[in-house]
Amino acid sequence: MKIDFHIHAKLSKKTDFSMEHFNTILDEALTHGLDAIILTEHFNTHRFEEVYGTLDRHLPCNGHYYERDGFRIFTGMEVDVAEGGHILISGPKDALLQVRRSLEGHTSPERFISLEELFNLCHPAGLMVIGGHPFRSSNHLYHVAPQLLRRFDAFDLNGKDLHEIGIQENIAKVLTLGEQHDVPVVAGSDAHQMFQVGCVWNELPGSYETVAEIREAIRAGKCTRHIAPSLHLQVRAANAVKKLLKKKVEVVASLHEQV
């Protein structure tokens, strides 16, 4: 199975969910030979409930993943914590959405949940917890207490950070962090639109029906990370297009307000 552990469904937190936009991301994933993704839209995105609500209307789901013509979309989300980091959680849809309901009072920066509290919500519910982009300057995780870092199921070798920090430098930092705390490292593109999809991915032997099975494979050292030769070009293109699309969305919203 070829899988990306960190993909968004929306261009930005402020935009509405669009199945058309998400389908371009899925199409691109197929073009790059991926078999699956974990959908990690921000938990405090505009109308979060519309993401999974819309998917429910368009795609079949077995409680662990949605399926589109054999392509698997495992359920997850990205959560901000009080320590400043971003956490990727995934697993059975019902358990995931129950955790999201528990976070309803924690969606603004002054009320973000602590990392320890998030672990205590997620692990008993059978959810996998990955430390997102641990060395990103704006949302880093490497500074938190070692006993908390050791509770992660994996750390995120992030496509955007590989571009911005540097491939060799970021790999060295994240792999060292993982070795220090006996935590595996997996790759995630952090794509919000099609151009960044496929800049990194993971390869696991066989096929998997649940995130729990994927987590066990990661722990067993069966996950191989891959970085595309075109990573820098893909991320630069994605950043440029994202700026243009966000500007277009803002103009359209402004026109609607005037009407």
Side-chain angles (χ1 to χ4, degrees), residues 10-80:
K10 299 171 61 177
L11 181 66
S12 73
K13 288 184 181 182
K14 294 181 180 180
T15 57
D16 290 329
F17 177 71
S18 163
M19 197 68 204
E20 181 181 4
H21 174 77
F22 188 46
N23 275 328
T24 66
I25 292 173
L26 299 180
D27 290 342
E28 192 68 15
L30 283 167
T31 297
H32 286 275
L34 272 64
D35 305 296
I37 62 168
I38 294 183
L39 174 57
T40 52
E41 187 51 64
H42 292 282
F43 83 119
N44 57 353
T45 194
H46 175 62
R47 296 177 179 171
F48 174 88
E49 69 283 355
E50 285 190 359
V51 176
Y52 284 113
T54 304
L55 289 177
D56 284 338
R57 293 193 297 273
H58 285 83
L59 298 173
C61 182
N62 64 6
H64 295 278
Y65 59 82
Y66 294 92
E67 187 170 1
R68 196 195 76 161
D69 299 326
F71 189 90
R72 296 178 182 182
I73 305 152
F74 289 92
T75 52
M77 62 184 174
E78 183 169 4
V79 179
D80 295 68

Side-chain angles (χ1 to χ4, degrees), residues 108-122:
S108 56
E110 67 277 4
R111 297 178 64 88
F112 287 157
I113 193 170
S114 73
L115 180 55
E116 183 173 16
E117 289 177 296
L118 185 63
F119 277 127
N120 293 340
L121 281 175
C122 292

